[in-house]
Amino acid sequence: MRSDKRQPDQLRPVKIQTNYLMTAEGSALIEVGHTRVLCAASVEDSLPSFLRNSGRGWVTAEYAMLPRATAERTPREITKGKQSGRTHEIQRLIGRSLRSVVDMEALGERTVVIDCDVIQADGGTRTAAITGGYVALALAVKKLLEFGVLKRNPLKDLIAATSVGVVKGASLLDLCYEEDSAAEVDMNVVMTGAGEFVELQATAEKLSFKDDRLLEMIALARKGLAELFELQKAAIQGK
Amino acid sequence: MRSDKRQPDQLRPVKIQTNYLMTAEGSALIEVGHTRVLCAASVEDSLPSFLRNSGRGWVTAEYAMLPRATAERTPREITKGKQSGRTHEIQRLIGRSLRSVVDMEALGERTVVIDCDVIQADGGTRTAAITGGYVALALAVKKLLEFGVLKRNPLKDLIAATSVGVVKGASLLDLCYEEDSAAEVDMNVVMTGAGEFVELQATAEKLSFKDDRLLEMIALARKGLAELFELQKAAIQGK
Amino acid sequence: MRSDKRQPDQLRPVKIQTNYLMTAEGSALIEVGHTRVLCAASVEDSLPSFLRNSGRGWVTAEYAMLPRATAERTPREITKGKQSGRTHEIQRLIGRSLRSVVDMEALGERTVVIDCDVIQADGGTRTAAITGGYVALALAVKKLLEFGVLKRNPLKDLIAATSVGVVKGASLLDLCYEEDSAAEVDMNVVMTGAGEFVELQATAEKLSFKDDRLLEMIALARKGLAELFELQKAAIQGK
Amino acid sequence: MRSDKRQPDQLRPVKIQTNYLMTAEGSALIEVGHTRVLCAASVEDSLPSFLRNSGRGWVTAEYAMLPRATAERTPREITKGKQSGRTHEIQRLIGRSLRSVVDMEALGERTVVIDCDVIQADGGTRTAAITGGYVALALAVKKLLEFGVLKRNPLKDLIAATSVGVVKGASLLDLCYEEDSAAEVDMNVVMTGAGEFVELQATAEKLSFKDDRLLEMIALARKGLAELFELQKAAIQGK
Amino acid sequence: MRSDKRQPDQLRPVKIQTNYLMTAEGSALIEVGHTRVLCAASVEDSLPSFLRNSGRGWVTAEYAMLPRATAERTPREITKGKQSGRTHEIQRLIGRSLRSVVDMEALGERTVVIDCDVIQADGGTRTAAITGGYVALALAVKKLLEFGVLKRNPLKDLIAATSVGVVKGASLLDLCYEEDSAAEVDMNVVMTGAGEFVELQATAEKLSFKDDRLLEMIALARKGLAELFELQKAAIQGK
Amino acid sequence: MRSDKRQPDQLRPVKIQTNYLMTAEGSALIEVGHTRVLCAASVEDSLPSFLRNSGRGWVTAEYAMLPRATAERTPREITKGKQSGRTHEIQRLIGRSLRSVVDMEALGERTVVIDCDVIQADGGTRTAAITGGYVALALAVKKLLEFGVLKRNPLKDLIAATSVGVVKGASLLDLCYEEDSAAEVDMNVVMTGAGEFVELQATAEKLSFKDDRLLEMIALARKGLAELFELQKAAIQGK
C-alpha cells in the first residue's frame, strides 16, 4: 500500500488551472498531488543567433523553484550567482520535450519561452512542468492563431510526462517525494499523444535493473500518460 | 476619475489568503488589485555572524519577481548572475520594516526569513510584500508560540505599508502600475499599528514638492493603512 | 552637547576643492567634517539603449568607498565580485537626485557619469556625494557651454543633500558616524535650490516617530541646505 | 554503409593507455575512434558535508573539453565564468554511473574525484569518459589496496557506457560526431559488468519512437558493452 | 628633449604626503609628476591559511584605479564582476616586492594589507605604488613599535621602484604616459636600499634588445632609485 | 649535483610532437622533462575591436592547467568562476612574446589563438608554453601559406623561452619544480632566434641580487635557448 493509499498504477489527483496570469500569452497552474508548478508562455520576437533569418522559430524553457517550495527552505540560486546542475538539466529536458512537437516553420521567426516555476514541490516537478508547460504553450498558440499572427497550427501533437519508479521492489506510477527518495530505480518518460517516446531517462539510484523491469515500467507510464493527455485536452479546450 | 474608477483615497481590493503553502511555517498570498505576492516565513536555527551567542534573533527578507509577473517578460536575475539594485533596495526595505516591530530577545537565537515572490505585478509590489510578509511572520510566530518554542510573543505591533503618489497634480492612494508610471511624486509609507512612521520614502520623479503636499500625502497613506491593519488582523485570526 | 561641540542645527565644516583632477571634465573633492568624497564628472557620447535617438541625454552616478575609508578596513566589493545592496541603493539615489535638476533635452544625446569615491568616511557620505557631485556636474556643464558643445544650460536649479537624525531624543543636523550609529531616526533630505523636496527618506532605526518630529527634522535640514547652496555657488563660480 | 565503413553493430577502435599521468593515483587516456579523453583519479581526504562522520566515502566526476578538442574552437567556460548546462549534465551522469558500482563503506571516509578532460572530440565523449573513468578509478583503488589504505575492494562490478542511435532509419552502435549530428534518436546506455542497466537515456532528436526500436537499440548497446568490459579488464590488469 | 623638458636621467617631481588618512595605521599620498597614488596600510589579525600558527606574518597588496584616474573614463572592474589581468599582475608585483624586505618572524602573526588606489594616472602607477606603499608600511610599523605591539623592527631595508624605457632609441628614466605609450622597451626595476635587485621586468614592446642596452637601462634606474630612497627616508622620519 | 643529475647548464630532455590534434590548424605537444604542455593554434576571422578594419591581425594566448597536472589536485578555475592572477599573468606573457615576432600586416585581418593546456606540470610550464606555442603557430602559418590564404610569411623570427634560477647559491638552467620551489632567484627569459631579449623577468624570491649574477644567469639562458631554437626548427620542418 502506498503512503497516500494509491494503487501502484494510479496517478495523483491532477488539476490544471488555465490562464492563471493575466500578464502572459498563455499560462497554466498545474497541480499533481501537492506539487504545484506555474507555467507561463511568453512569445518574443527575438531568436537565438543560430536561427536568425532561417524562417524557423524556437521554443525554450526555464525552470526554478521558489525557496519555500520545499519542506526545508532552499536558498535561491541567485545567492550563489549560478544555477545548479539540476536546474540546467531540467530546463534543457523541458525545452527539448516541447520542441519535439512543434513545427518550427509554422511557428515562424519567434521564440516562445516557457517559464516553469515550482510553487510547491512534492516529487515529479519536472514532469509536471512538461505537462503544464505544454498547456501554456498551446494556449499561447491558440491566441496567436485567433489573432491571425500564425496562419497554421505549429503544434503537431500533444506531449506530456510522468515518472515511474521501483520502491521496495514494486513498480509504481507517479512518485511523490517520499517515494522518490526511497526509490531503487527512477524513470521519467516523455511521450507524444500518439504514444511514441520523446525522452526516456531511467536511473538506477540504488539497484541496477534488467529489460523486463524496463518494459513493466514503460507500461505503467503509458497508462498514466493516457490520462494526462485527456486532462490536457480538456484544459486547452477550456472545459 | 482614476482608470479603475476608484476614489483618490480608495485602496484597491485587498485579499489575503493564509497558509497558501503547506511547506512553510507561515505563508500568505496577498492580492492588492492585480498585484499578487506570495509571502513565506521560514524559521531557521542559524544566525548572521554578528548575532551569534547574543541571545537575540533576526528577521530578514528576500524579494523576487517571477519572469512573467510583468506584461513583458523580465529575464531572471540568475541569467545575469546578480541581483539588480532595485531588488536589493526592496528586500532591505522589507527586512528593516519587519524588524522594527520584533522584540529580538523574545524571538531568541533564530532567524525568520520572509520570502516575497511576486506572482503578478501591477504596482505596489514592495508595499504588498511588507503587508503580506507581516502576516506570514505572524502566522509563523503563532505556530512557534503554540508549540511552546517561544515563551512570549516577539511581535510588538502590526506593520503595514502602502503607496501614495501625485498624478496630474492630484494626490492618490495606492497607485496601480499605470498610475505609478505617470506619477510626478511617488511615496511609500511604512507604519506601525500605533500609527507611527517606520519608513517614509518620497521621490520626486518629475516634479519637486513642498511641505503641504507632503502632509496631504501622509494623510492619504494613514487612511489606507488603517484599512490594511484591519485586514491583517482578520487574516491572522483566521477570519 | 554634541561630541564635536556643534549646536544641534550646525553643519560640520564644509570645504569644496574644485578641479581636483586634471583628467576629468569636472571634479570636486568635498569635505564635510572628516568625510571626504572625490566627485568626477565624465561626459560620454554613449547613451543607455532606451534613450537612443530620443534627442535626450542622461545623468548617472557610481559610488564606491576606498577600502581604508573606514576605521576598520572594508574589503573591496570586487573581492566578492558584486556590489552590495547598500552601494546599489546609494548610487541610484545620487543619480535620481542629480537628474531631477537637469533638462535632458538641453543636455542632448550624451551621458554624464558622476563618479563618487569616498576617500574617508565619517557619516553622511551619500549626502556629501550628492552635494559634491552636483558641483562636478556643474563644472563639466560650464566647460561644455564654454566650448559651445551645449547651446543652453541644462541645469535648471541647484541640488544638495544633508542628513538629520534623532539621537537620544534630540533632533540633530548633519550626523557624524558616531551620532549616526546611535540614531533612533535617520533622515536624508535632497532639495532643490528653490527649497522643494526631491527625495526624503526617513528610517526609524530604533524608534518609530510621528508627524511633528518629521516637521522638526525637515526644518533642520532646510537650514543646513541653505548653507550648502551658498557653498556650491561659490565653488562653481571659482571663489 | 557508415562513413567510416563500420558495420551497424561495430564499435570504433578503442585504446586505453593506463597511467598516462605520473601525478595521479590512477589515470587512463581512452581513445574511441578520434575521440580522446584523459581520465584522472584523485584520492582526497575531504568529504561533502552530508557524508562527514558517516563512515562512508564518495565518488564524484568533473568533465571539460579543451578548447581545440572540436573542429571549430570552443571558448573556455571560464571566459563566461560558468559551466554550461551540457557540462553539468554530463559530469552528473559520470559521477552517478561510477558511484553505482562502489561500496561506499568499503571506500571509507575519502573522496575520489574523476577528472575527465576531452583532448579531442568526435562524438561519444561522455560514454568514453565513463568507460575510461572507471579504469582510472580501478587503478587508484588498486594502489590503495596495495598500500593497505583499503582493507577490501570497494568496486562491486565493472561499469561502461556506449551510445546507440537511429540514423536514416537504421540503428547504429557507437555514433561518431557526423552520425550523431544526423541522428533521429540518440541513446546512451550505462551498464554493469553483470549486464544490468544503470542509466538509460534515450532522446528523440528528430523522430519519436516505439518499444520495438527501443529494444533493438538496447541489443546493440549490449553487444558493444560486452567488448568494452573486456578492454577494461585487460587495461586494469596491465595487459 | 622630453615632452616635459626633463633630462633623460631625470625623475619627475616626487611628493610624498604622509598620514593622509586619519583612519589607517599608516598612509601616504605619493605624487610622481601627475601620477597620484593613495597608499594605505591596514594591520589585521587574520592570516592566510598556509601561515596559521606558523609564528610568521604576511604582507599583501591590492591595487585599483579610480574610474576617472585616466584621460578617458575606465569602467570600474566591479561592473564586469572581475579584476583584469593587469590588476592581478600589478598587485602581485607590489606584494612580492614589499615582502622581500620584511622579516616575517619579527612581524609576527598578523597581516599588513597595503591598498594602492590610483587617484590620477600618468604612467608609472605600479612603481609609484611600490615606493609609496613602502612608506605607508613603514609608518604603520613605526606605530606598532611605538605601541609596543612589535618588539623589533621587521623592516630589513628600504624598497622602491621606478621605470626606464627606450623611446626613439634613447634610454629614459621614469616614463610618463605619453612616453610609455611610445616606448620600444619598457622596464620596471624594484630595488632594495642596499642597491640589490628584487624584481626586474623588461618587455620589448616594439623592438627586441641586447645586453648592453639592458645594462644602460639598469644604470638609469639605479640613479633614480637613489633619489627615491632619500625621499622615502625623509617622509618616514616626518621631515 | 642536481636532483636529476643534470649539469648546471643542461636543459631537461625536450620532445616536440607536432600535429598532435587533427582538429587544430597547428598543434604541438611539448615535453620538457616531466612537464607536458599541449599547444593548439586556432585561426579565426574575428578581431579584437581596436583592430577592426586596420588591415592588421592579432595573436593571443590562453593558458590553463588540467586539475591533475599537479602532484596534488588543483581545483578547476571554473569552480571559483574566475581565473587566478597567476593564469592571467602567464597568458599575457605568452601572447606578448609570440606577438613580438609576428608581422601583423602580413598576417592580415585574422586572429590566431594559441591554447596552452598543461597536461602535467613539473616547473617551467610558462616557458614550455611559449616554446611549444611558437611551433603550433608556425605550423598553422605554414598551412595558411600552403593554401594561399597568406601571401607572405608573417613570422619574422623564432621565439623561445627558458628559466634560470639560483639554488643554494648556484645558477642553474631550466629549473624543475623541486628546484623552482627552493630557488632564491627565479628568472624567465624570452628571446628571439637572433638572440635578442623580448622579455626578461627576474624575481628575488628569497635573496636580492646584483648585476654580475644577472649577467651570469643571462649567459645560461642563452645557452639553453640556442638548443631550443634547433629543436623548434626541426619540429616545424617535420624532422
Side-chain angles (χ1 to χ4, degrees):
Chain A
M1 186 57 106
R2 302 171 75 169
S3 64
D4 54 1
K5 320 216 160 176
R6 279 186 287 151
Q7 296 301 314
D9 68 348
Q10 199 182 342
L11 287 180
R12 290 175 286 177
V14 177
K15 258 174 58 184
I16 303 177
Q17 187 177 340
T18 53
N19 300 317
Y20 184 79
L21 296 173
M22 69 168 199
T23 36
E25 280 76 56
S27 65
L29 178 65
I30 184 167
E31 299 185 41
V32 178
H34 295 306
T35 289
R36 262 185 257 168
V37 184
L38 177 53
C39 305
S42 301
V43 181
E44 303 193 332
D45 279 334
S46 59
L47 270 181
S49 55
F50 66 92
L51 282 175
R52 279 180 206 136
N53 304 315
S54 67
R56 315 184 73 237
W58 190 242
V59 174
T60 184
E62 298 196 4
Y63 169 96
M65 287 217 292
L66 294 194
R68 206 50 204 278
T70 44
E72 306 225 339
R73 184 176 187 272
T74 309
R76 293 172 194 270
E77 297 194 325
I78 192 73
T79 312
K80 285 187 150 189
K82 56 180 181 185
Q83 292 177 307
S84 70
R86 182 184 173 274
T87 295
H88 271 120
E89 200 170 306
I90 293 176
Q91 61 195 14
R92 282 158 58 90
L93 172 66
I94 302 171
R96 224 158 50 217
S97 298
L98 295 176
R99 281 194 295 277
S100 73
V101 291
V102 179
D103 173 342
M104 294 300 176
E105 271 160 41
L107 182 59
E109 294 197 346
R110 55 183 58 84
T111 294
V112 187
V113 184
I114 308 295
D115 283 294
C116 303
D117 286 272
V118 180
I119 305 291
Q120 197 166 267
D122 187 30
T125 61
R126 81 186 68 186
T127 51
I130 292 169
T131 307
Y134 177 78
V135 175
L137 171 61
L139 291 170
V141 159
K142 208 170 158 182
K143 199 171 285 179
L144 293 180
L145 285 165
E146 282 166 15
F147 285 122
V149 177
L150 293 181
K151 300 303 166 207
R152 57 197 171 90
N153 191 344
L155 297 180
K156 301 181 290 186
D157 201 345
L158 294 165
I159 191 114
T162 194
S163 73
V164 188
V166 180
V167 183
K168 295 187 197 153
S171 297
L172 303 178
L173 176 63
D174 186 22
L175 306 186
C176 68
Y177 178 73
E178 191 189 326
E179 291 170 340
D180 190 51
S181 314
E184 289 118 38
V185 180
D186 179 28
M187 182 171 82
N188 291 306
V189 180
V190 185
M191 201 171 257
T192 62
E196 298 201 343
F197 298 114
V198 161
E199 289 270 344
L200 191 149
Q201 298 192 339
T203 299
E205 306 270 356
K206 297 191 184 104
L207 216 65
S208 49
F209 59 98
K210 302 198 181 139
D211 293 30
D212 51 353
R213 176 67 85 177
L214 179 65
L215 294 174
E216 184 185 67
M217 293 194 292
I218 287 174
L220 276 179
R222 208 177 277 284
K223 177 187 175 288
L225 287 160
E227 294 172 38
L228 290 171
F229 292 132
E230 291 311 308
L231 289 161
Q232 286 183 318
K233 278 188 256 178
I236 295 165
Q237 289 162 20
K239 287 175 192 163
Chain B
M1 185 57 106
R2 301 172 75 170
S3 64
D4 54 0
K5 320 218 161 175
R6 279 186 289 151
Q7 294 303 312
D9 68 347
Q10 198 182 344
L11 287 180
R12 288 175 286 177
V14 177
K15 257 175 59 185
I16 304 177
Q17 187 177 342
T18 54
N19 300 317
Y20 183 79
L21 297 173
M22 71 168 197
T23 36
E25 280 75 56
S27 65
L29 178 66
I30 184 167
E31 300 185 40
V32 178
H34 295 306
T35 289
R36 261 185 260 170
V37 184
L38 176 53
C39 305
S42 301
V43 182
E44 304 193 333
D45 280 334
S46 60
L47 270 179
S49 55
F50 67 93
L51 281 176
R52 278 180 206 139
N53 303 315
S54 67
R56 316 183 71 236
W58 190 242
V59 174
T60 185
E62 297 195 3
Y63 169 95
M65 287 217 292
L66 295 194
R68 206 50 204 277
T70 44
E72 307 227 337
R73 185 175 186 272
T74 311
R76 293 171 194 268
E77 297 194 326
I78 192 73
T79 312
K80 284 185 151 193
K82 56 182 182 184
Q83 291 177 307
S84 70
R86 180 182 173 276
T87 295
H88 271 121
E89 201 170 306
I90 292 176
Q91 60 195 13
R92 282 158 59 91
L93 172 66
I94 301 171
R96 224 157 53 216
S97 298
L98 295 176
R99 282 193 295 276
S100 74
V101 291
V102 179
D103 174 342
M104 293 301 176
E105 272 160 39
L107 181 58
E109 293 197 345
R110 54 182 58 83
T111 295
V112 187
V113 184
I114 308 296
D115 284 294
C116 302
D117 285 274
V118 179
I119 304 290
Q120 196 166 266
D122 186 30
T125 61
R126 79 186 71 186
T127 52
I130 292 168
T131 306
Y134 178 77
V135 174
L137 171 60
L139 292 170
V141 160
K142 209 171 159 182
K143 198 171 285 180
L144 293 179
L145 285 165
E146 282 167 15
F147 285 121
V149 177
L150 293 180
K151 300 304 166 204
R152 56 197 172 88
N153 190 344
L155 296 180
K156 301 181 290 187
D157 202 344
L158 294 165
I159 191 111
T162 195
S163 73
V164 189
V166 179
V167 183
K168 294 185 196 154
S171 297
L172 303 177
L173 176 63
D174 185 23
L175 306 185
C176 68
Y177 179 75
E178 190 189 327
E179 292 170 340
D180 191 51
S181 313
E184 289 119 37
V185 181
D186 178 28
M187 182 170 83
N188 292 306
V189 181
V190 185
M191 200 170 258
T192 63
E196 298 201 344
F197 298 115
V198 162
E199 288 271 345
L200 192 148
Q201 297 191 341
T203 298
E205 306 270 358
K206 298 193 183 107
L207 216 63
S208 49
F209 60 97
K210 301 199 181 137
D211 293 30
D212 51 353
R213 176 66 85 175
L214 179 65
L215 294 174
E216 186 185 67
M217 292 194 292
I218 287 173
L220 275 179
R222 209 177 275 283
K223 177 186 174 290
L225 286 161
E227 294 173 37
L228 290 171
F229 291 133
E230 291 311 308
L231 289 161
Q232 286 182 317
K233 278 188 260 180
I236 295 165
Q237 288 163 20
K239 287 172 191 166
Chain C
M1 185 56 104
R2 301 173 74 169
S3 64
D4 53 1
K5 320 215 161 178
R6 278 186 289 149
Q7 295 302 313
D9 67 347
Q10 199 181 343
L11 288 179
R12 289 175 285 177
V14 176
K15 257 173 60 185
I16 303 177
Q17 187 177 342
T18 54
N19 300 317
Y20 184 79
L21 297 173
M22 70 167 198
T23 36
E25 280 76 55
S27 65
L29 177 66
I30 184 168
E31 300 185 41
V32 179
H34 296 305
T35 289
R36 262 186 257 170
V37 184
L38 176 53
C39 305
S42 301
V43 182
E44 302 193 333
D45 280 333
S46 59
L47 269 180
S49 55
F50 67 92
L51 282 175
R52 279 183 204 134
N53 304 316
S54 67
R56 315 184 72 238
W58 189 242
V59 174
T60 185
E62 298 195 3
Y63 169 96
M65 286 217 294
L66 294 194
R68 206 51 204 277
T70 45
E72 305 226 340
R73 184 176 186 273
T74 310
R76 293 171 195 270
E77 297 195 325
I78 192 73
T79 311
K80 285 185 151 192
K82 56 181 179 184
Q83 292 178 307
S84 70
R86 181 183 173 275
T87 295
H88 270 121
E89 200 171 307
I90 292 176
Q91 62 194 14
R92 283 158 58 92
L93 172 67
I94 302 170
R96 224 156 53 216
S97 298
L98 295 176
R99 282 193 294 275
S100 73
V101 291
V102 179
D103 174 342
M104 293 300 176
E105 272 160 40
L107 182 58
E109 293 197 346
R110 55 182 58 83
T111 295
V112 187
V113 184
I114 308 295
D115 284 293
C116 302
D117 286 274
V118 180
I119 304 290
Q120 196 165 268
D122 187 30
T125 61
R126 79 186 70 185
T127 51
I130 292 169
T131 306
Y134 178 79
V135 175
L137 171 61
L139 292 171
V141 159
K142 209 170 157 182
K143 199 172 286 180
L144 293 180
L145 285 165
E146 282 167 14
F147 286 121
V149 178
L150 293 180
K151 300 303 165 205
R152 56 196 172 89
N153 191 344
L155 296 181
K156 301 181 290 186
D157 201 346
L158 294 166
I159 191 112
T162 194
S163 74
V164 189
V166 180
V167 183
K168 294 186 197 156
S171 298
L172 302 177
L173 177 62
D174 186 23
L175 305 185
C176 68
Y177 178 73
E178 190 188 327
E179 291 169 341
D180 191 51
S181 314
E184 289 118 39
V185 180
D186 179 27
M187 183 171 82
N188 292 307
V189 180
V190 185
M191 200 171 257
T192 63
E196 298 200 345
F197 298 115
V198 161
E199 289 271 343
L200 191 150
Q201 298 192 340
T203 298
E205 306 270 356
K206 296 189 184 110
L207 216 64
S208 49
F209 61 96
K210 301 200 182 136
D211 293 29
D212 51 353
R213 176 67 83 176
L214 179 65
L215 294 174
E216 185 184 68
M217 292 194 293
I218 287 173
L220 275 180
R222 207 178 276 284
K223 176 185 175 290
L225 288 160
E227 294 172 37
L228 290 171
F229 292 133
E230 291 312 308
L231 289 161
Q232 286 182 318
K233 277 188 258 181
I236 295 165
Q237 288 162 21
K239 288 174 189 163
Chain D
M1 186 57 107
R2 301 173 74 169
S3 65
D4 54 0
K5 319 216 160 178
R6 279 187 289 151
Q7 295 302 313
D9 67 348
Q10 197 182 345
L11 287 179
R12 290 175 285 177
V14 177
K15 257 173 61 183
I16 304 177
Q17 186 177 344
T18 54
N19 300 316
Y20 184 79
L21 297 174
M22 70 168 199
T23 37
E25 280 75 56
S27 64
L29 177 66
I30 185 168
E31 299 185 42
V32 179
H34 295 306
T35 289
R36 261 185 260 169
V37 184
L38 176 52
C39 305
S42 301
V43 182
E44 304 194 331
D45 279 334
S46 59
L47 270 180
S49 56
F50 66 93
L51 281 176
R52 280 182 204 135
N53 304 316
S54 68
R56 316 184 72 238
W58 190 243
V59 174
T60 184
E62 297 195 3
Y63 169 96
M65 286 217 294
L66 294 194
R68 205 49 205 278
T70 44
E72 307 227 336
R73 186 177 186 271
T74 310
R76 293 170 195 270
E77 297 195 326
I78 192 72
T79 312
K80 284 186 150 190
K82 55 181 180 183
Q83 292 177 307
S84 70
R86 180 183 174 276
T87 295
H88 270 120
E89 201 170 304
I90 292 175
Q91 60 194 13
R92 283 157 59 89
L93 172 66
I94 303 170
R96 225 158 48 217
S97 298
L98 294 176
R99 282 193 295 277
S100 73
V101 290
V102 179
D103 174 342
M104 294 300 176
E105 272 160 39
L107 182 57
E109 293 197 347
R110 55 183 57 84
T111 295
V112 186
V113 184
I114 307 296
D115 284 294
C116 302
D117 286 273
V118 179
I119 304 291
Q120 196 166 267
D122 186 30
T125 62
R126 79 186 69 187
T127 51
I130 291 168
T131 306
Y134 177 78
V135 175
L137 172 60
L139 292 170
V141 159
K142 208 169 159 184
K143 199 171 287 180
L144 293 179
L145 285 165
E146 281 165 15
F147 286 122
V149 177
L150 293 181
K151 299 303 166 206
R152 54 195 172 92
N153 191 344
L155 297 181
K156 302 181 291 187
D157 201 345
L158 295 165
I159 191 115
T162 195
S163 74
V164 189
V166 180
V167 183
K168 295 187 196 151
S171 297
L172 303 177
L173 176 63
D174 186 24
L175 306 185
C176 67
Y177 178 74
E178 190 190 327
E179 291 170 339
D180 191 51
S181 315
E184 288 117 39
V185 180
D186 178 28
M187 183 170 82
N188 292 306
V189 180
V190 185
M191 200 170 258
T192 62
E196 299 201 343
F197 298 115
V198 162
E199 289 271 345
L200 191 150
Q201 297 192 340
T203 298
E205 305 272 356
K206 297 194 183 104
L207 215 64
S208 49
F209 60 96
K210 301 196 184 142
D211 293 30
D212 50 353
R213 176 67 84 176
L214 179 65
L215 294 174
E216 184 184 68
M217 292 193 292
I218 287 172
L220 276 179
R222 208 178 277 282
K223 176 186 176 289
L225 288 160
E227 294 172 37
L228 291 171
F229 292 133
E230 292 311 308
L231 290 161
Q232 287 182 315
K233 277 187 260 180
I236 296 165
Q237 290 163 19
K239 286 173 191 165
Chain E
M1 185 55 107
R2 301 173 74 169
S3 64
D4 54 1
K5 319 216 161 178
R6 279 187 288 151
Q7 295 302 313
D9 69 347
Q10 198 182 345
L11 286 180
R12 289 175 286 177
V14 177
K15 258 174 59 184
I16 303 178
Q17 187 177 343
T18 54
N19 299 316
Y20 185 79
L21 297 174
M22 71 168 198
T23 36
E25 279 76 56
S27 64
L29 178 65
I30 184 167
E31 300 186 40
V32 178
H34 296 304
T35 289
R36 261 184 259 170
V37 184
L38 176 52
C39 305
S42 301
V43 182
E44 303 194 332
D45 280 334
S46 59
L47 270 180
S49 55
F50 67 93
L51 282 175
R52 278 180 206 136
N53 303 317
S54 67
R56 316 185 71 237
W58 190 242
V59 173
T60 185
E62 298 196 2
Y63 169 96
M65 287 218 292
L66 294 194
R68 206 50 204 278
T70 44
E72 307 227 337
R73 184 177 187 271
T74 310
R76 293 171 194 269
E77 298 194 326
I78 191 72
T79 311
K80 285 188 151 189
K82 56 181 180 183
Q83 292 177 307
S84 70
R86 181 183 173 275
T87 295
H88 270 121
E89 200 170 307
I90 293 176
Q91 60 195 13
R92 283 158 59 91
L93 172 66
I94 302 171
R96 225 157 50 217
S97 297
L98 295 175
R99 281 194 295 277
S100 74
V101 290
V102 179
D103 173 342
M104 293 300 175
E105 271 160 40
L107 181 58
E109 293 197 346
R110 54 184 58 84
T111 295
V112 187
V113 185
I114 308 297
D115 284 294
C116 303
D117 286 273
V118 179
I119 304 291
Q120 197 165 266
D122 186 30
T125 61
R126 80 186 69 185
T127 51
I130 292 169
T131 306
Y134 178 78
V135 175
L137 171 61
L139 292 170
V141 160
K142 208 170 159 183
K143 200 171 285 178
L144 293 179
L145 285 165
E146 282 166 14
F147 286 122
V149 177
L150 293 180
K151 299 305 164 203
R152 55 195 173 91
N153 191 344
L155 297 180
K156 301 181 290 185
D157 201 344
L158 294 165
I159 192 115
T162 194
S163 73
V164 189
V166 180
V167 183
K168 294 186 196 153
S171 297
L172 302 177
L173 176 62
D174 185 22
L175 306 185
C176 68
Y177 178 74
E178 191 189 325
E179 292 169 340
D180 191 51
S181 315
E184 288 118 39
V185 180
D186 178 28
M187 182 171 82
N188 292 306
V189 180
V190 186
M191 200 171 258
T192 63
E196 298 201 345
F197 298 115
V198 162
E199 289 271 344
L200 192 149
Q201 298 192 340
T203 298
E205 306 270 357
K206 298 193 183 104
L207 216 63
S208 48
F209 59 98
K210 302 199 183 138
D211 294 29
D212 51 352
R213 176 67 84 175
L214 178 65
L215 294 174
E216 184 185 67
M217 292 193 292
I218 287 173
L220 276 179
R222 208 177 277 283
K223 177 188 174 288
L225 287 160
E227 295 173 38
L228 291 171
F229 292 132
E230 292 311 308
L231 290 161
Q232 286 182 317
K233 278 188 257 179
I236 295 165
Q237 289 164 20
K239 285 174 191 165
Chain F
M1 184 58 104
R2 303 173 73 169
S3 65
D4 54 0
K5 321 216 159 176
R6 278 186 288 151
Q7 295 301 313
D9 68 348
Q10 198 181 343
L11 287 179
R12 289 176 285 178
V14 177
K15 257 174 60 186
I16 303 177
Q17 187 177 342
T18 53
N19 300 316
Y20 184 79
L21 296 174
M22 70 168 199
T23 37
E25 280 76 57
S27 64
L29 177 66
I30 184 168
E31 301 185 41
V32 179
H34 296 305
T35 289
R36 262 185 258 169
V37 184
L38 176 52
C39 305
S42 301
V43 181
E44 302 193 332
D45 279 333
S46 60
L47 270 180
S49 54
F50 67 91
L51 281 177
R52 280 184 204 133
N53 304 317
S54 67
R56 315 185 72 239
W58 190 241
V59 173
T60 185
E62 298 196 2
Y63 169 96
M65 287 217 293
L66 294 195
R68 205 51 203 279
T70 45
E72 306 227 338
R73 184 177 186 271
T74 309
R76 292 171 195 269
E77 298 194 325
I78 192 73
T79 312
K80 286 186 149 189
K82 56 181 179 184
Q83 291 177 307
S84 70
R86 182 183 172 275
T87 295
H88 271 120
E89 202 170 305
I90 293 176
Q91 62 195 12
R92 284 157 58 90
L93 172 66
I94 302 171
R96 225 158 49 218
S97 298
L98 295 177
R99 281 193 295 277
S100 73
V101 290
V102 179
D103 173 342
M104 293 301 176
E105 271 160 41
L107 181 59
E109 293 198 346
R110 55 182 58 85
T111 295
V112 186
V113 184
I114 308 296
D115 284 294
C116 303
D117 286 273
V118 180
I119 304 290
Q120 195 166 268
D122 187 30
T125 61
R126 81 186 69 186
T127 51
I130 292 169
T131 306
Y134 177 78
V135 175
L137 172 60
L139 292 171
V141 160
K142 208 170 156 181
K143 200 172 285 180
L144 293 179
L145 285 165
E146 282 166 15
F147 286 122
V149 177
L150 292 180
K151 300 302 165 207
R152 57 196 171 91
N153 191 344
L155 297 180
K156 301 181 291 186
D157 201 345
L158 294 165
I159 191 114
T162 194
S163 74
V164 188
V166 180
V167 182
K168 294 188 197 152
S171 297
L172 303 178
L173 175 63
D174 185 23
L175 306 186
C176 67
Y177 178 73
E178 191 188 326
E179 291 169 339
D180 191 51
S181 314
E184 288 118 39
V185 180
D186 179 28
M187 183 171 82
N188 292 306
V189 180
V190 185
M191 201 171 257
T192 62
E196 299 201 342
F197 298 115
V198 162
E199 290 270 343
L200 190 148
Q201 298 192 341
T203 298
E205 306 270 356
K206 296 188 185 112
L207 215 65
S208 48
F209 60 96
K210 302 198 183 139
D211 294 29
D212 50 353
R213 176 68 83 176
L214 179 65
L215 294 174
E216 184 185 69
M217 292 194 292
I218 287 173
L220 276 180
R222 209 177 276 283
K223 174 184 177 290
L225 287 160
E227 293 172 38
L228 291 171
F229 292 133
E230 291 312 308
L231 289 161
Q232 286 182 318
K233 277 188 258 179
I236 296 165
Q237 289 163 20
K239 288 175 188 164

